[in-house]
Amino acid sequence: MLAAIDNASHLQVLADLALVLQEPDQIDDLIACQHADMIWEKIKQYTTKESTE
């Protein structure tokens, strides 16, 4: 989930972002992105991976 539509989803988005930012390799990947759409795609990949594990 990348966008909040209510209070519960807002908290979920923050939790997903916190998980992404806990991994130094993921942070490095985000920093290396040259366009915003690339950042969104990386975050989607990471949050999808987290939710399926």
Side-chain angles (χ1 to χ4, degrees):
M1 180 180 300
L2 293 176
I5 56 174
D6 58 23
N7 288 339
S9 64
H10 183 78
L11 293 175
Q12 184 60 52
V13 169
L14 290 175
D16 290 346
L17 184 58
L19 288 173
V20 169
L21 296 177
Q22 287 180 358
E23 297 294 328
D25 290 342
Q26 293 176 353
I27 295 170
D28 291 340
D29 286 346
L30 293 175
I31 291 170
C33 291
Q34 295 184 8
H35 301 283
D37 58 330
M38 293 171 65
I39 294 171
W40 286 119
E41 288 303 315
K42 289 285 185 188
I43 293 173
K44 283 185 208 175
Q45 288 174 359
Y46 298 143
T47 57
T48 301
K49 201 182 321 180
E50 292 289 334
S51 64
T52 59
E53 292 180 350

mmCIF file of all heavy atoms in Angstrom:
data_model
loop_
_atom_site.group_PDB
_atom_site.id
_atom_site.type_symbol
_atom_site.label_atom_id
_atom_site.label_comp_id
_atom_site.label_asym_id
_atom_site.label_seq_id
_atom_site.Cartn_x
_atom_site.Cartn_y
_atom_site.Cartn_z
ATOM 1 N N MET A 1 0.858 -1.178 0.000
ATOM 2 C CA MET A 1 0.000 0.000 0.000
ATOM 3 C C MET A 1 0.899 1.235 0.000
ATOM 4 O O MET A 1 1.842 1.311 0.760
ATOM 5 C CB MET A 1 -0.880 -0.026 1.254
ATOM 6 C CG MET A 1 -1.799 1.138 1.338
ATOM 7 S SD MET A 1 -2.860 1.129 2.806
ATOM 8 C CE MET A 1 -3.751 -0.380 2.581
ATOM 9 N N LEU A 2 0.582 2.179 -0.854
ATOM 10 C CA LEU A 2 1.409 3.380 -0.940
ATOM 11 C C LEU A 2 0.666 4.669 -0.701
ATOM 12 O O LEU A 2 1.272 5.718 -0.636
ATOM 13 C CB LEU A 2 2.072 3.448 -2.317
ATOM 14 C CG LEU A 2 3.092 2.360 -2.587
ATOM 15 C CD1 LEU A 2 3.603 2.480 -4.012
ATOM 16 C CD2 LEU A 2 4.232 2.437 -1.614
ATOM 17 N N ALA A 3 -0.635 4.584 -0.581
ATOM 18 C CA ALA A 3 -1.411 5.798 -0.369
ATOM 19 C C ALA A 3 -2.446 5.567 0.719
ATOM 20 O O ALA A 3 -2.999 4.485 0.841
ATOM 21 C CB ALA A 3 -2.098 6.215 -1.658
ATOM 22 N N ALA A 4 -2.672 6.593 1.506
ATOM 23 C CA ALA A 4 -3.628 6.491 2.605
ATOM 24 C C ALA A 4 -4.971 7.062 2.184
ATOM 25 O O ALA A 4 -5.040 8.126 1.575
ATOM 26 C CB ALA A 4 -3.100 7.247 3.816
ATOM 27 N N ILE A 5 -6.037 6.318 2.494
ATOM 28 C CA ILE A 5 -7.374 6.834 2.206
ATOM 29 C C ILE A 5 -8.173 7.059 3.478
ATOM 30 O O ILE A 5 -9.217 7.688 3.448
ATOM 31 C CB ILE A 5 -8.150 5.888 1.254
ATOM 32 C CG1 ILE A 5 -8.218 4.493 1.827
ATOM 33 C CG2 ILE A 5 -7.524 5.888 -0.122
ATOM 34 C CD1 ILE A 5 -9.088 3.528 1.043
ATOM 35 N N ASP A 6 -7.669 6.541 4.596
ATOM 36 C CA ASP A 6 -8.301 6.764 5.887
ATOM 37 C C ASP A 6 -7.235 6.606 6.977
ATOM 38 O O ASP A 6 -6.069 6.358 6.677
ATOM 39 C CB ASP A 6 -9.482 5.805 6.103
ATOM 40 C CG ASP A 6 -9.084 4.344 6.020
ATOM 41 O OD1 ASP A 6 -7.889 4.020 6.223
ATOM 42 O OD2 ASP A 6 -9.960 3.513 5.748
ATOM 43 N N ASN A 7 -7.620 6.735 8.224
ATOM 44 C CA ASN A 7 -6.646 6.673 9.316
ATOM 45 C C ASN A 7 -5.933 5.331 9.383
ATOM 46 O O ASN A 7 -4.722 5.269 9.603
ATOM 47 C CB ASN A 7 -7.328 6.964 10.653
ATOM 48 C CG ASN A 7 -7.705 8.419 10.800
ATOM 49 O OD1 ASN A 7 -7.154 9.281 10.124
ATOM 50 N ND2 ASN A 7 -8.658 8.706 11.665
ATOM 51 N N ALA A 8 -6.672 4.246 9.196
ATOM 52 C CA ALA A 8 -6.059 2.920 9.285
ATOM 53 C C ALA A 8 -5.046 2.707 8.163
ATOM 54 O O ALA A 8 -3.940 2.209 8.399
ATOM 55 C CB ALA A 8 -7.138 1.837 9.236
ATOM 56 N N SER A 9 -5.403 3.089 6.945
ATOM 57 C CA SER A 9 -4.462 2.901 5.842
ATOM 58 C C SER A 9 -3.273 3.858 5.969
ATOM 59 O O SER A 9 -2.166 3.522 5.558
ATOM 60 C CB SER A 9 -5.155 3.043 4.494
ATOM 61 O OG SER A 9 -5.651 4.339 4.302
ATOM 62 N N HIS A 10 -3.494 5.011 6.562
ATOM 63 C CA HIS A 10 -2.393 5.950 6.798
ATOM 64 C C HIS A 10 -1.354 5.300 7.714
ATOM 65 O O HIS A 10 -0.150 5.366 7.444
ATOM 66 C CB HIS A 10 -2.926 7.242 7.420
ATOM 67 C CG HIS A 10 -1.880 8.274 7.635
ATOM 68 N ND1 HIS A 10 -1.400 9.058 6.613
ATOM 69 C CD2 HIS A 10 -1.192 8.647 8.744
ATOM 70 C CE1 HIS A 10 -0.473 9.871 7.093
ATOM 71 N NE2 HIS A 10 -0.334 9.638 8.383
ATOM 72 N N LEU A 11 -1.805 4.654 8.762
ATOM 73 C CA LEU A 11 -0.884 3.967 9.668
ATOM 74 C C LEU A 11 -0.177 2.813 8.972
ATOM 75 O O LEU A 11 1.007 2.570 9.203
ATOM 76 C CB LEU A 11 -1.628 3.470 10.902
ATOM 77 C CG LEU A 11 -2.153 4.569 11.822
ATOM 78 C CD1 LEU A 11 -2.981 3.956 12.949
ATOM 79 C CD2 LEU A 11 -1.013 5.393 12.388
ATOM 80 N N GLN A 12 -0.884 2.111 8.095
ATOM 81 C CA GLN A 12 -0.268 1.003 7.362
ATOM 82 C C GLN A 12 0.817 1.514 6.418
ATOM 83 O O GLN A 12 1.877 0.913 6.301
ATOM 84 C CB GLN A 12 -1.322 0.220 6.582
ATOM 85 C CG GLN A 12 -0.755 -1.008 5.879
ATOM 86 C CD GLN A 12 -0.138 -1.997 6.847
ATOM 87 O OE1 GLN A 12 -0.773 -2.397 7.811
ATOM 88 N NE2 GLN A 12 1.096 -2.385 6.603
ATOM 89 N N VAL A 13 0.566 2.627 5.754
ATOM 90 C CA VAL A 13 1.569 3.210 4.863
ATOM 91 C C VAL A 13 2.812 3.592 5.661
ATOM 92 O O VAL A 13 3.940 3.323 5.239
ATOM 93 C CB VAL A 13 1.006 4.440 4.110
ATOM 94 C CG1 VAL A 13 2.101 5.206 3.401
ATOM 95 C CG2 VAL A 13 -0.070 4.008 3.136
ATOM 96 N N LEU A 14 2.640 4.187 6.807
ATOM 97 C CA LEU A 14 3.783 4.553 7.651
ATOM 98 C C LEU A 14 4.545 3.317 8.116
ATOM 99 O O LEU A 14 5.781 3.314 8.145
ATOM 100 C CB LEU A 14 3.319 5.375 8.851
ATOM 101 C CG LEU A 14 2.824 6.780 8.526
ATOM 102 C CD1 LEU A 14 2.270 7.444 9.789
ATOM 103 C CD2 LEU A 14 3.927 7.613 7.920
ATOM 104 N N ALA A 15 3.830 2.262 8.465
ATOM 105 C CA ALA A 15 4.473 1.012 8.882
ATOM 106 C C ALA A 15 5.265 0.405 7.724
ATOM 107 O O ALA A 15 6.400 -0.063 7.911
ATOM 108 C CB ALA A 15 3.431 0.027 9.394
ATOM 109 N N ASP A 16 4.681 0.411 6.518
ATOM 110 C CA ASP A 16 5.381 -0.105 5.336
ATOM 111 C C ASP A 16 6.651 0.689 5.069
ATOM 112 O O ASP A 16 7.715 0.118 4.798
ATOM 113 C CB ASP A 16 4.479 -0.043 4.097
ATOM 114 C CG ASP A 16 3.342 -1.036 4.129
ATOM 115 O OD1 ASP A 16 3.363 -1.972 4.962
ATOM 116 O OD2 ASP A 16 2.407 -0.869 3.313
ATOM 117 N N LEU A 17 6.552 1.996 5.148
ATOM 118 C CA LEU A 17 7.717 2.843 4.916
ATOM 119 C C LEU A 17 8.799 2.586 5.963
ATOM 120 O O LEU A 17 9.985 2.517 5.644
ATOM 121 C CB LEU A 17 7.308 4.322 4.912
ATOM 122 C CG LEU A 17 8.410 5.317 4.580
ATOM 123 C CD1 LEU A 17 9.018 5.034 3.209
ATOM 124 C CD2 LEU A 17 7.864 6.733 4.644
ATOM 125 N N ALA A 18 8.398 2.405 7.212
ATOM 126 C CA ALA A 18 9.361 2.112 8.270
ATOM 127 C C ALA A 18 10.101 0.810 7.984
ATOM 128 O O ALA A 18 11.321 0.712 8.204
ATOM 129 C CB ALA A 18 8.662 2.044 9.622
ATOM 130 N N LEU A 19 9.397 -0.195 7.485
ATOM 131 C CA LEU A 19 10.043 -1.462 7.141
ATOM 132 C C LEU A 19 11.056 -1.279 6.017
ATOM 133 O O LEU A 19 12.157 -1.825 6.069
ATOM 134 C CB LEU A 19 9.001 -2.509 6.734
ATOM 135 C CG LEU A 19 8.149 -3.074 7.855
ATOM 136 C CD1 LEU A 19 7.052 -3.973 7.290
ATOM 137 C CD2 LEU A 19 9.012 -3.853 8.836
ATOM 138 N N VAL A 20 10.687 -0.517 5.009
ATOM 139 C CA VAL A 20 11.596 -0.273 3.884
ATOM 140 C C VAL A 20 12.856 0.428 4.373
ATOM 141 O O VAL A 20 13.971 0.070 3.982
ATOM 142 C CB VAL A 20 10.898 0.566 2.787
ATOM 143 C CG1 VAL A 20 11.893 1.055 1.748
ATOM 144 C CG2 VAL A 20 9.788 -0.237 2.124
ATOM 145 N N LEU A 21 12.699 1.407 5.246
ATOM 146 C CA LEU A 21 13.838 2.216 5.678
ATOM 147 C C LEU A 21 14.710 1.538 6.730
ATOM 148 O O LEU A 21 15.736 2.078 7.120
ATOM 149 C CB LEU A 21 13.338 3.570 6.187
ATOM 150 C CG LEU A 21 12.659 4.432 5.114
ATOM 151 C CD1 LEU A 21 12.134 5.721 5.728
ATOM 152 C CD2 LEU A 21 13.599 4.716 3.955
ATOM 153 N N GLN A 22 14.342 0.336 7.166
ATOM 154 C CA GLN A 22 15.169 -0.405 8.122
ATOM 155 C C GLN A 22 16.337 -1.119 7.457
ATOM 156 O O GLN A 22 17.276 -1.516 8.128
ATOM 157 C CB GLN A 22 14.325 -1.441 8.871
ATOM 158 C CG GLN A 22 13.404 -0.840 9.875
ATOM 159 C CD GLN A 22 12.593 -1.897 10.606
ATOM 160 O OE1 GLN A 22 12.696 -3.090 10.327
ATOM 161 N NE2 GLN A 22 11.785 -1.468 11.540
ATOM 162 N N GLU A 23 16.271 -1.289 6.148
ATOM 163 C CA GLU A 23 17.290 -2.035 5.418
ATOM 164 C C GLU A 23 18.217 -1.094 4.655
ATOM 165 O O GLU A 23 17.783 -0.416 3.722
ATOM 166 C CB GLU A 23 16.629 -3.007 4.431
ATOM 167 C CG GLU A 23 15.776 -4.063 5.088
ATOM 168 C CD GLU A 23 16.584 -5.022 5.933
ATOM 169 O OE1 GLU A 23 17.759 -5.300 5.596
ATOM 170 O OE2 GLU A 23 16.049 -5.488 6.952
ATOM 171 N N PRO A 24 19.504 -1.059 5.031
ATOM 172 C CA PRO A 24 20.440 -0.159 4.349
ATOM 173 C C PRO A 24 20.498 -0.379 2.835
ATOM 174 O O PRO A 24 20.607 0.581 2.067
ATOM 175 C CB PRO A 24 21.781 -0.481 5.002
ATOM 176 C CG PRO A 24 21.408 -0.982 6.356
ATOM 177 C CD PRO A 24 20.127 -1.747 6.158
ATOM 178 N N ASP A 25 20.419 -1.628 2.380
ATOM 179 C CA ASP A 25 20.459 -1.890 0.939
ATOM 180 C C ASP A 25 19.266 -1.268 0.227
ATOM 181 O O ASP A 25 19.388 -0.761 -0.893
ATOM 182 C CB ASP A 25 20.479 -3.395 0.660
ATOM 183 C CG ASP A 25 21.797 -4.042 1.052
ATOM 184 O OD1 ASP A 25 22.800 -3.312 1.212
ATOM 185 O OD2 ASP A 25 21.826 -5.278 1.198
ATOM 186 N N GLN A 26 18.110 -1.307 0.859
ATOM 187 C CA GLN A 26 16.921 -0.724 0.260
ATOM 188 C C GLN A 26 17.035 0.795 0.217
ATOM 189 O O GLN A 26 16.625 1.428 -0.763
ATOM 190 C CB GLN A 26 15.663 -1.154 1.018
ATOM 191 C CG GLN A 26 15.385 -2.634 0.865
ATOM 192 C CD GLN A 26 14.196 -3.113 1.674
ATOM 193 O OE1 GLN A 26 13.619 -2.375 2.465
ATOM 194 N NE2 GLN A 26 13.833 -4.360 1.479
ATOM 195 N N ILE A 27 17.606 1.376 1.250
ATOM 196 C CA ILE A 27 17.814 2.833 1.257
ATOM 197 C C ILE A 27 18.757 3.226 0.129
ATOM 198 O O ILE A 27 18.506 4.180 -0.599
ATOM 199 C CB ILE A 27 18.358 3.303 2.627
ATOM 200 C CG1 ILE A 27 17.315 3.071 3.712
ATOM 201 C CG2 ILE A 27 18.768 4.778 2.566
ATOM 202 C CD1 ILE A 27 17.832 3.277 5.121
ATOM 203 N N ASP A 28 19.849 2.455 -0.036
ATOM 204 C CA ASP A 28 20.796 2.740 -1.115
ATOM 205 C C ASP A 28 20.123 2.645 -2.477
ATOM 206 O O ASP A 28 20.380 3.466 -3.367
ATOM 207 C CB ASP A 28 21.986 1.777 -1.052
ATOM 208 C CG ASP A 28 22.877 2.022 0.159
ATOM 209 O OD1 ASP A 28 22.818 3.130 0.738
ATOM 210 O OD2 ASP A 28 23.620 1.091 0.527
ATOM 211 N N ASP A 29 19.259 1.639 -2.658
ATOM 212 C CA ASP A 29 18.530 1.498 -3.923
ATOM 213 C C ASP A 29 17.642 2.708 -4.178
ATOM 214 O O ASP A 29 17.552 3.192 -5.311
ATOM 215 C CB ASP A 29 17.663 0.237 -3.922
ATOM 216 C CG ASP A 29 18.478 -1.035 -4.067
ATOM 217 O OD1 ASP A 29 19.679 -0.959 -4.426
ATOM 218 O OD2 ASP A 29 17.904 -2.120 -3.822
ATOM 219 N N LEU A 30 16.964 3.198 -3.133
ATOM 220 C CA LEU A 30 16.100 4.368 -3.297
ATOM 221 C C LEU A 30 16.911 5.612 -3.640
ATOM 222 O O LEU A 30 16.517 6.407 -4.497
ATOM 223 C CB LEU A 30 15.272 4.604 -2.034
ATOM 224 C CG LEU A 30 14.223 3.547 -1.713
ATOM 225 C CD1 LEU A 30 13.577 3.846 -0.366
ATOM 226 C CD2 LEU A 30 13.183 3.451 -2.805
ATOM 227 N N ILE A 31 18.057 5.774 -2.993
ATOM 228 C CA ILE A 31 18.911 6.930 -3.262
ATOM 229 C C ILE A 31 19.426 6.902 -4.698
ATOM 230 O O ILE A 31 19.534 7.935 -5.353
ATOM 231 C CB ILE A 31 20.080 6.983 -2.256
ATOM 232 C CG1 ILE A 31 19.544 7.323 -0.860
ATOM 233 C CG2 ILE A 31 21.139 7.997 -2.688
ATOM 234 C CD1 ILE A 31 20.560 7.171 0.254
ATOM 235 N N ALA A 32 19.675 5.706 -5.218
ATOM 236 C CA ALA A 32 20.198 5.562 -6.580
ATOM 237 C C ALA A 32 19.159 5.852 -7.659
ATOM 238 O O ALA A 32 19.523 6.088 -8.811
ATOM 239 C CB ALA A 32 20.755 4.153 -6.766
ATOM 240 N N CYS A 33 17.901 5.870 -7.307
ATOM 241 C CA CYS A 33 16.845 6.142 -8.296
ATOM 242 C C CYS A 33 16.963 7.571 -8.801
ATOM 243 O O CYS A 33 17.192 8.494 -8.031
ATOM 244 C CB CYS A 33 15.463 5.936 -7.677
ATOM 245 S SG CYS A 33 15.086 4.215 -7.297
ATOM 246 N N GLN A 34 16.780 7.717 -10.102
ATOM 247 C CA GLN A 34 16.920 9.036 -10.706
ATOM 248 C C GLN A 34 15.591 9.730 -10.952
ATOM 249 O O GLN A 34 15.560 10.917 -11.278
ATOM 250 C CB GLN A 34 17.699 8.923 -12.006
ATOM 251 C CG GLN A 34 19.120 8.465 -11.764
ATOM 252 C CD GLN A 34 19.930 8.439 -13.040
ATOM 253 O OE1 GLN A 34 19.483 8.904 -14.073
ATOM 254 N NE2 GLN A 34 21.131 7.909 -12.955
ATOM 255 N N HIS A 35 14.483 9.007 -10.829
ATOM 256 C CA HIS A 35 13.165 9.580 -11.076
ATOM 257 C C HIS A 35 12.194 9.114 -9.989
ATOM 258 O O HIS A 35 12.321 8.009 -9.460
ATOM 259 C CB HIS A 35 12.627 9.156 -12.449
ATOM 260 C CG HIS A 35 13.519 9.570 -13.574
ATOM 261 N ND1 HIS A 35 13.567 10.861 -14.038
ATOM 262 C CD2 HIS A 35 14.406 8.876 -14.320
ATOM 263 C CE1 HIS A 35 14.449 10.940 -15.017
ATOM 264 N NE2 HIS A 35 14.970 9.743 -15.202
ATOM 265 N N ALA A 36 11.230 9.948 -9.688
ATOM 266 C CA ALA A 36 10.252 9.628 -8.644
ATOM 267 C C ALA A 36 9.497 8.339 -8.934
ATOM 268 O O ALA A 36 9.243 7.547 -8.016
ATOM 269 C CB ALA A 36 9.266 10.781 -8.469
ATOM 270 N N ASP A 37 9.173 8.104 -10.213
ATOM 271 C CA ASP A 37 8.434 6.885 -10.530
ATOM 272 C C ASP A 37 9.262 5.637 -10.237
ATOM 273 O O ASP A 37 8.725 4.598 -9.859
ATOM 274 C CB ASP A 37 7.930 6.893 -11.972
ATOM 275 C CG ASP A 37 9.024 7.043 -13.007
ATOM 276 O OD1 ASP A 37 10.047 7.687 -12.706
ATOM 277 O OD2 ASP A 37 8.836 6.520 -14.123
ATOM 278 N N MET A 38 10.578 5.732 -10.367
ATOM 279 C CA MET A 38 11.448 4.607 -10.024
ATOM 280 C C MET A 38 11.409 4.341 -8.518
ATOM 281 O O MET A 38 11.422 3.190 -8.078
ATOM 282 C CB MET A 38 12.883 4.886 -10.464
ATOM 283 C CG MET A 38 13.066 4.942 -11.969
ATOM 284 S SD MET A 38 14.713 5.519 -12.465
ATOM 285 C CE MET A 38 15.748 4.193 -11.837
ATOM 286 N N ILE A 39 11.352 5.421 -7.731
ATOM 287 C CA ILE A 39 11.273 5.280 -6.273
ATOM 288 C C ILE A 39 9.980 4.581 -5.894
ATOM 289 O O ILE A 39 9.982 3.638 -5.084
ATOM 290 C CB ILE A 39 11.378 6.655 -5.586
ATOM 291 C CG1 ILE A 39 12.771 7.237 -5.816
ATOM 292 C CG2 ILE A 39 11.057 6.543 -4.094
ATOM 293 C CD1 ILE A 39 12.931 8.668 -5.375
ATOM 294 N N TRP A 40 8.859 4.995 -6.491
ATOM 295 C CA TRP A 40 7.571 4.356 -6.184
ATOM 296 C C TRP A 40 7.594 2.872 -6.533
ATOM 297 O O TRP A 40 7.077 2.041 -5.793
ATOM 298 C CB TRP A 40 6.426 5.050 -6.923
ATOM 299 C CG TRP A 40 6.065 6.371 -6.336
ATOM 300 C CD1 TRP A 40 6.125 7.575 -6.967
ATOM 301 C CD2 TRP A 40 5.597 6.645 -5.015
ATOM 302 N NE1 TRP A 40 5.734 8.577 -6.109
ATOM 303 C CE2 TRP A 40 5.406 8.031 -4.902
ATOM 304 C CE3 TRP A 40 5.342 5.839 -3.905
ATOM 305 C CZ2 TRP A 40 4.944 8.629 -3.737
ATOM 306 C CZ3 TRP A 40 4.887 6.449 -2.737
ATOM 307 C CH2 TRP A 40 4.700 7.818 -2.669
ATOM 308 N N GLU A 41 8.196 2.531 -7.677
ATOM 309 C CA GLU A 41 8.266 1.123 -8.081
ATOM 310 C C GLU A 41 9.088 0.313 -7.086
ATOM 311 O O GLU A 41 8.707 -0.808 -6.728
ATOM 312 C CB GLU A 41 8.847 0.985 -9.496
ATOM 313 C CG GLU A 41 7.911 1.436 -10.579
ATOM 314 C CD GLU A 41 6.579 0.694 -10.561
ATOM 315 O OE1 GLU A 41 6.565 -0.540 -10.418
ATOM 316 O OE2 GLU A 41 5.543 1.373 -10.683
ATOM 317 N N LYS A 42 10.204 0.860 -6.620
ATOM 318 C CA LYS A 42 11.030 0.164 -5.625
ATOM 319 C C LYS A 42 10.255 -0.035 -4.332
ATOM 320 O O LYS A 42 10.267 -1.117 -3.746
ATOM 321 C CB LYS A 42 12.316 0.952 -5.330
ATOM 322 C CG LYS A 42 13.312 0.943 -6.430
ATOM 323 C CD LYS A 42 14.006 -0.389 -6.492
ATOM 324 C CE LYS A 42 15.101 -0.363 -7.529
ATOM 325 N NZ LYS A 42 15.677 -1.679 -7.749
ATOM 326 N N ILE A 43 9.571 1.005 -3.874
ATOM 327 C CA ILE A 43 8.805 0.891 -2.630
ATOM 328 C C ILE A 43 7.705 -0.148 -2.789
ATOM 329 O O ILE A 43 7.474 -0.962 -1.891
ATOM 330 C CB ILE A 43 8.242 2.262 -2.202
ATOM 331 C CG1 ILE A 43 9.397 3.188 -1.800
ATOM 332 C CG2 ILE A 43 7.245 2.101 -1.054
ATOM 333 C CD1 ILE A 43 8.981 4.609 -1.518
ATOM 334 N N LYS A 44 7.037 -0.167 -3.929
ATOM 335 C CA LYS A 44 6.004 -1.181 -4.184
ATOM 336 C C LYS A 44 6.604 -2.579 -4.109
ATOM 337 O O LYS A 44 6.013 -3.483 -3.511
ATOM 338 C CB LYS A 44 5.375 -0.984 -5.559
ATOM 339 C CG LYS A 44 4.385 0.134 -5.650
ATOM 340 C CD LYS A 44 3.773 0.112 -7.043
ATOM 341 C CE LYS A 44 3.325 1.469 -7.473
ATOM 342 N NZ LYS A 44 2.839 1.503 -8.847
ATOM 343 N N GLN A 45 7.778 -2.757 -4.717
ATOM 344 C CA GLN A 45 8.437 -4.059 -4.680
ATOM 345 C C GLN A 45 8.736 -4.481 -3.243
ATOM 346 O O GLN A 45 8.485 -5.610 -2.851
ATOM 347 C CB GLN A 45 9.748 -4.027 -5.460
ATOM 348 C CG GLN A 45 9.603 -3.955 -6.942
ATOM 349 C CD GLN A 45 10.946 -3.770 -7.632
ATOM 350 O OE1 GLN A 45 11.992 -3.683 -6.983
ATOM 351 N NE2 GLN A 45 10.921 -3.694 -8.952
ATOM 352 N N TYR A 46 9.281 -3.562 -2.472
ATOM 353 C CA TYR A 46 9.658 -3.887 -1.098
ATOM 354 C C TYR A 46 8.440 -4.188 -0.230
ATOM 355 O O TYR A 46 8.451 -5.128 0.547
ATOM 356 C CB TYR A 46 10.457 -2.743 -0.456
ATOM 357 C CG TYR A 46 11.768 -2.442 -1.145
ATOM 358 C CD1 TYR A 46 12.221 -1.146 -1.260
ATOM 359 C CD2 TYR A 46 12.552 -3.443 -1.687
ATOM 360 C CE1 TYR A 46 13.419 -0.845 -1.877
ATOM 361 C CE2 TYR A 46 13.747 -3.162 -2.307
ATOM 362 C CZ TYR A 46 14.178 -1.857 -2.405
ATOM 363 O OH TYR A 46 15.364 -1.563 -3.017
ATOM 364 N N THR A 47 7.394 -3.390 -0.372
ATOM 365 C CA THR A 47 6.213 -3.607 0.481
ATOM 366 C C THR A 47 5.465 -4.845 0.061
ATOM 367 O O THR A 47 4.906 -5.548 0.908
ATOM 368 C CB THR A 47 5.283 -2.383 0.490
ATOM 369 O OG1 THR A 47 4.884 -2.072 -0.834
ATOM 370 C CG2 THR A 47 5.964 -1.180 1.125
ATOM 371 N N THR A 48 5.459 -5.172 -1.227
ATOM 372 C CA THR A 48 4.824 -6.408 -1.688
ATOM 373 C C THR A 48 5.600 -7.610 -1.181
ATOM 374 O O THR A 48 5.023 -8.586 -0.712
ATOM 375 C CB THR A 48 4.755 -6.441 -3.235
ATOM 376 O OG1 THR A 48 4.018 -5.313 -3.671
ATOM 377 C CG2 THR A 48 4.095 -7.703 -3.728
ATOM 378 N N LYS A 49 6.910 -7.517 -1.219
ATOM 379 C CA LYS A 49 7.769 -8.596 -0.740
ATOM 380 C C LYS A 49 7.549 -8.822 0.751
ATOM 381 O O LYS A 49 7.435 -9.954 1.212
ATOM 382 C CB LYS A 49 9.240 -8.235 -1.009
ATOM 383 C CG LYS A 49 10.164 -9.412 -1.020
ATOM 384 C CD LYS A 49 11.623 -9.048 -1.232
ATOM 385 C CE LYS A 49 11.882 -7.944 -2.222
ATOM 386 N NZ LYS A 49 13.297 -7.630 -2.385
ATOM 387 N N GLU A 50 7.468 -7.738 1.527
ATOM 388 C CA GLU A 50 7.241 -7.840 2.973
ATOM 389 C C GLU A 50 5.907 -8.472 3.299
ATOM 390 O O GLU A 50 5.784 -9.262 4.221
ATOM 391 C CB GLU A 50 7.323 -6.450 3.627
ATOM 392 C CG GLU A 50 8.687 -5.828 3.614
ATOM 393 C CD GLU A 50 9.657 -6.502 4.548
ATOM 394 O OE1 GLU A 50 9.215 -7.109 5.537
ATOM 395 O OE2 GLU A 50 10.867 -6.431 4.284
ATOM 396 N N SER A 51 4.871 -8.124 2.556
ATOM 397 C CA SER A 51 3.534 -8.612 2.888
ATOM 398 C C SER A 51 3.343 -10.072 2.500
ATOM 399 O O SER A 51 2.452 -10.728 3.027
ATOM 400 C CB SER A 51 2.464 -7.738 2.230
ATOM 401 O OG SER A 51 2.546 -7.832 0.825
ATOM 402 N N THR A 52 4.183 -10.606 1.607
ATOM 403 C CA THR A 52 4.053 -12.004 1.206
ATOM 404 C C THR A 52 4.937 -12.918 2.024
ATOM 405 O O THR A 52 4.824 -14.122 1.935
ATOM 406 C CB THR A 52 4.375 -12.187 -0.298
ATOM 407 O OG1 THR A 52 5.698 -11.746 -0.545
ATOM 408 C CG2 THR A 52 3.372 -11.443 -1.166
ATOM 409 N N GLU A 53 5.846 -12.380 2.806
ATOM 410 C CA GLU A 53 6.747 -13.205 3.614
ATOM 411 C C GLU A 53 6.126 -13.575 4.936
ATOM 412 O O GLU A 53 5.288 -12.980 5.475
ATOM 413 C CB GLU A 53 8.071 -12.474 3.839
ATOM 414 C CG GLU A 53 8.858 -12.345 2.566
ATOM 415 C CD GLU A 53 10.163 -11.623 2.752
ATOM 416 O OE1 GLU A 53 10.412 -11.029 3.833
ATOM 417 O OE2 GLU A 53 10.956 -11.619 1.827
#
